[in-house]
Amino acid sequence: MESSSRPEQALTSFGDFQRFFISPLNKKEAYELLRKYDKQGDTSKLLIDELKSGKYEMINEFLRNPLLVSLLFAAFDYKQTIPLKKHIFYRQVYDAYFDSHDLSKGDHYVHDKASKLDIDDFERILRYVGFKCLKFQKIEFEKDALLHIIDEAKQACPDLNFTSSDYLQDILTSVPLFCKDGQYLKWVHKSLQEYFAAQFIFKDSKSSQDTILKTLYNSDNIDRYLNLLDLYYDVDNWGFQKNILYPLCEDFVSFYQRTFYSSSVIREKSIQERIGHLYMRDVCILRIGNEERKDPFKYTKDRTEEILHGRMNTMTHFTSDDICIAQYFNPKKKILLLLNKRLPYLFNDYKDVNNPQSLDLEMNIVIEIDMNTGDSSLDCFKCYNYYLGAGHNEGNAYLDYNRCLDEIKKIKDIIKNKDKVSDLIDGL
């Protein structure tokens, strides 16, 4: 059983693995929770009225998580505005916690800061701590380990005068972004850690900024960094374009040019959809028999081991016709979900979503699906496209070749213009 709050792709390679989900709050439940945080009732009423106005659809995701609902209340209670962007929301939460607001007190309660740092200097240390925690891929630490990270942050900011123990006391009480959980100290929410890590990359790592972003993009564990990259899109849009969007668009264009072909049988749209399905993905399909139904996962994994080089990370069994899809997803494919949310104009919706015919597959014969599989007829080709689409949960859209070309040109033009500005200041 998966216990992580965010999916770990590697766990799906275990046959006995089962994924369970905690149902998100619905809006009615979120509004009721907001009312419980508000003793007087005025602030929650004003906030709920604003949320119901329809102007803030982009922050609906905050209403699905109880802790994010509490952070939204704290931010709105501090400053009677609803931020339209994620990073502004987290900054508002930080300001509220630093200046006065402790939700556990039920009202404004001003804490003295043991570290004596002002709001900006306090955040400098917090940015370093957030990035260091991100590198460790941990949100909870023993006390000595967290003190060591604060010590390192202090060394990176030699102009600041404070003790690490005082700072630790502050982030547990005065600015309660950490909480005690048994013998561990943990961030109150992983997204706060990611916010400060994103700010560190933008503000404190100028010489290494591009390297860090490219490393995140090329990481085999990129799914762990998706929320950070989503935040970074707003924090430093140019850095995101240059280091994430640009190489991805170039990679897709290269894949498209290698795989696209013209056919008198298959319409161009279906070929383009096949390219979208197979981008960053290797897929095998087979029909299993009665005996194999006892453990379809193990059988499919064993049969596709050689073709997929032992990398199968997702398997789907269609019980209606006993067809199994085994596949390897390149971790980078997760970025497409983020881009589709942020830049929907780069994508087309899949159309081959209905099964036009049943696949006549020979029992227990493994077929590796490529660009030509099923191209004897349009219906057969679309049928394979249907199974390709039904066999993953990576969204219902694919990158558009021509729009990616336009995006590459746009980014190249920006780089050229920036170089011209550099020429203007030479010799000053």
Side-chain angles (χ1 to χ4, degrees):
M1 182 178 72
E2 180 177 339
S3 61
S4 167
S5 62
R6 295 185 186 174
E8 290 287 349
Q9 190 67 37
L11 294 178
T12 60
S13 62
F14 295 101
D16 294 331
F17 172 85
Q18 288 180 298
R19 179 178 295 173
F20 294 88
F21 297 92
I22 297 174
S23 296
L25 296 175
N26 59 42
K27 285 190 178 181
K28 183 179 178 181
E29 291 169 329
Y31 296 158
E32 187 59 34
L33 193 55
L34 288 170
R35 294 186 186 101
K36 289 180 179 179
Y37 289 131
D38 187 13
K39 285 187 175 181
Q40 305 303 320
D42 296 336
T43 301
S44 59
K45 183 180 185 306
L46 183 59
L47 174 55
I48 291 168
D49 287 344
E50 284 291 305
L51 291 171
K52 288 180 176 179
S53 70
K55 296 184 293 185
Y56 304 102
E57 294 297 316
M58 70 292 296
I59 66 162
N60 276 345
E61 62 185 280
F62 295 145
L63 300 178
R64 301 186 186 118
N65 181 294
L67 193 127
L68 290 178
V69 169
S70 74
L71 296 181
L72 178 60
F73 179 82
F76 187 80
D77 193 29
Y78 171 74
K79 186 178 182 181
Q80 306 277 292
T81 60
I82 299 177
L84 297 179
K85 293 185 176 181
K86 268 187 173 183
H87 74 295
I88 298 174
F89 165 76
Y90 287 111
R91 176 66 203 201
Q92 200 165 310
V93 169
Y94 169 66
D95 289 347
Y97 273 52
F98 187 92
D99 282 349
S100 61
H101 199 82
D102 184 346
L103 199 59
S104 66
K105 304 294 181 183
D107 201 351
H108 291 276
Y109 183 85
V110 178
H111 291 280
D112 292 330
K113 311 298 185 293
S115 64
K116 306 301 181 185
L117 295 176
D118 65 28
I119 191 169
D120 293 326
D121 289 340
F122 196 93
E123 191 205 353
R124 284 174 62 193
I125 301 300
L126 207 49
R127 294 197 299 262
Y128 187 99
V129 171
F131 182 75
K132 197 72 175 181
C133 292
L134 180 86
K135 283 184 66 178
F136 290 136
Q137 276 300 299
K138 293 172 61 178
I139 64 167
E140 61 179 24
F141 301 85
E142 292 184 342
K143 180 180 178 181
D144 288 345
L146 187 53
L147 279 170
H148 181 69
I149 292 174
I150 298 172
D151 285 339
E152 290 184 342
K154 183 180 178 182
Q155 292 171 13
C157 304
D159 57 312
L160 301 184
N161 185 26
F162 66 97
T163 68
S164 296
S165 58
D166 284 342
Y167 192 89
L168 178 62
Q169 180 183 332
D170 282 343
I171 58 176
L172 286 170
T173 56
S174 308
V175 191
L177 299 173
F178 279 74
C179 62
K180 289 185 178 180
D181 185 10
Q183 65 176 336
Y184 295 101
L185 307 177
K186 61 185 292 187
W187 288 86
V188 295
H189 198 274
K190 183 174 172 61
S191 60
L192 283 163
Q193 177 209 90
E194 292 164 329
Y195 163 74
F196 288 109
Q199 291 289 348
F200 176 88
I201 296 170
F202 176 53
K203 294 181 177 179
D204 305 302
S205 65
K206 291 299 183 184
S207 60
S208 304
Q209 191 179 90
D210 290 348
T211 301
I212 291 172
L213 291 171
K214 287 172 182 174
T215 300
L216 294 178
Y217 172 71
N218 289 306
S219 171
D220 289 338
N221 299 312
I222 193 170
D223 52 318
R224 298 178 181 176
Y225 306 120
L226 289 179
N227 192 53
L228 179 142
L229 293 174
D230 190 27
L231 284 162
Y232 202 84
Y233 179 89
D234 287 327
V235 170
D236 176 21
N237 187 258
W238 170 240
F240 184 94
Q241 288 187 58
K242 180 174 54 170
N243 295 292
I244 309 297
L245 179 60
Y246 181 76
L248 184 72
C249 286
E250 279 206 317
D251 186 65
F252 176 74
V253 164
S254 175
F255 180 79
Y256 185 99
Q257 291 172 345
R258 293 195 310 270
T259 53
F260 180 81
Y261 65 95
S262 297
S263 169
S264 59
V265 178
I266 313 302
R267 61 188 180 90
E268 184 174 303
K269 187 70 173 175
S270 291
I271 293 173
Q272 290 173 339
E273 290 194 18
R274 177 69 62 87
I275 292 172
H277 282 306
L278 294 181
Y279 179 54
M280 294 189 180
R281 183 184 179 201
D282 299 322
V283 189
C284 295
I285 188 170
L286 71 158
R287 188 190 299 278
I288 61 175
N290 291 331
E291 188 65 26
E292 292 74 35
R293 285 196 202 111
K294 295 176 182 177
D295 192 349
F297 182 94
K298 184 179 186 308
Y299 178 78
T300 302
K301 186 174 187 295
D302 291 344
R303 289 299 314 278
T304 60
E305 183 87 11
E306 184 176 350
I307 296 175
L308 297 179
H309 308 291
R311 300 180 302 170
M312 186 186 86
N313 50 24
T314 308
M315 178 269 197
T316 303
H317 177 207
F318 298 90
T319 55
S320 59
D321 51 13
D322 279 324
I323 285 179
C324 292
I325 295 278
Q327 50 210 329
Y328 164 73
F329 282 99
N330 185 314
K332 284 197 192 78
K333 197 171 178 74
K334 295 277 187 180
I335 285 282
L336 298 183
L337 293 173
L338 168 57
L339 291 183
N340 192 18
K341 180 177 75 171
R342 290 293 194 165
L343 303 167
Y345 63 86
L346 285 178
F347 291 80
N348 290 315
D349 290 336
Y350 286 114
K351 302 299 183 185
D352 293 347
V353 294
N354 297 312
N355 194 358
Q357 66 178 45
S358 60
L359 272 181
D360 184 20
L361 295 179
E362 191 174 342
M363 197 73 69
N364 297 329
I365 299 298
V366 178
I367 297 174
E368 182 178 11
I369 302 180
D370 60 24
M371 286 302 301
N372 301 105
T373 304
D375 64 358
S376 58
S377 73
L378 178 58
D379 277 350
C380 186
F381 193 89
K382 290 172 69 174
C383 190
Y384 277 101
N385 278 2
Y386 162 78
Y387 280 103
L388 284 168
H392 71 75
N393 59 355
E394 300 300 309
N396 61 348
Y398 62 97
L399 286 167
D400 181 277
Y401 172 71
N402 289 313
R403 293 170 199 164
C404 284
L405 283 176
D406 291 342
E407 202 68 21
I408 291 169
K409 182 180 183 305
K410 187 194 308 181
I411 294 172
K412 283 182 175 179
D413 288 343
I414 293 173
I415 293 173
K416 287 180 182 178
N417 288 333
K418 285 182 176 291
D419 290 340
K420 288 179 182 178
V421 172
S422 298
D423 292 340
L424 289 174
I425 63 174
D426 284 345
L428 290 179

